[in-house]
Amino acid sequence: MFEALQYEFMRNALAAGLLASVACGVIGSLVVVNRIGFITGGIAHAAYGGIGLAFFMSWAVLPTTMGFCLVIALAMGWITQRQRERSDTVIGVLWAVGMAIGIILVDLSPGYGVDLLSFLFGSILAVPRGDLWAMLAVDLVALAVVLAFYKAFLALSYDGEFARARGVPVGALYYVLLLLIAGAVVMLMRIVGLILVIALITIPPFIAERFVRSLGGMMLLATGLSAVFVAGGLWVSYAFNLTSGASIIAVGAAAFLAVTAWGRIGHTSP
């Protein structure tokens, strides 16, 4: 693996993965404790509509997809706040419609053949240096927001009704969280692709939650685990000539299964 770092594209890939680990650890922890993985998956898959719009209009992919994701996140937030009993159905519809719009717009894009797999399953080895600065910006915004409103997010995550009674702006924080998720989705799109985003956002925090007793500790451990999974996945993909995004998820999934099995063995042992 170390000899591979002599290549700039491998150094960029590792840097992109480490930057993405921060978003996975911080934002992913909030996703897990608030149990909004389905909404996160909906945002991730609907984001394909932004990719299709970018190619159809000949706009820059990253900012166009980011804007599209932010709008989708706000729409899903509005739906889940006002129609809770039907929110899963509507989110599923937005999920499917977003992907359908993206595919249709890509098909209609004049004179351009788009590699759909690079967006669906990631292309971390093709991350340009310019995208690293955009990823850093997303990380800094996420860290600043979470640090500024940490206690409010903590109250929202573990007892929303109590937080509302204490005057915490639960509704506004919920929208802010969904916007942060949208930013993370666009960042991770280049790492593991839209199909696998939900796994990288949820697996490290899920594992971390078993070993810590605080939300802050969960975020720190999840960030470290994400970095390990990314580095390990890159090594596996380099050593065995496999797809990088899928290799990263496979390493994370192996850790998830190992921790789950260990937990069950521990509960059943005399």
Side-chain angles (χ1 to χ4, degrees), residues 251-264:
V251 171
F256 171 83
L257 292 174
V259 170
T260 302
W262 179 262
R264 293 197 174 186

Side-chain angles (χ1 to χ4, degrees), residues 16 61 79 88 90 144 152 169 182 186 210-212 227 240 248 252 263 267 269:
V61 174
I79 290 166
D88 57 339
V90 180
V186 175
R210 294 175 173 245
F211 297 99
V212 298
F240 299 99
I248 292 170
H267 281 95
S269 61

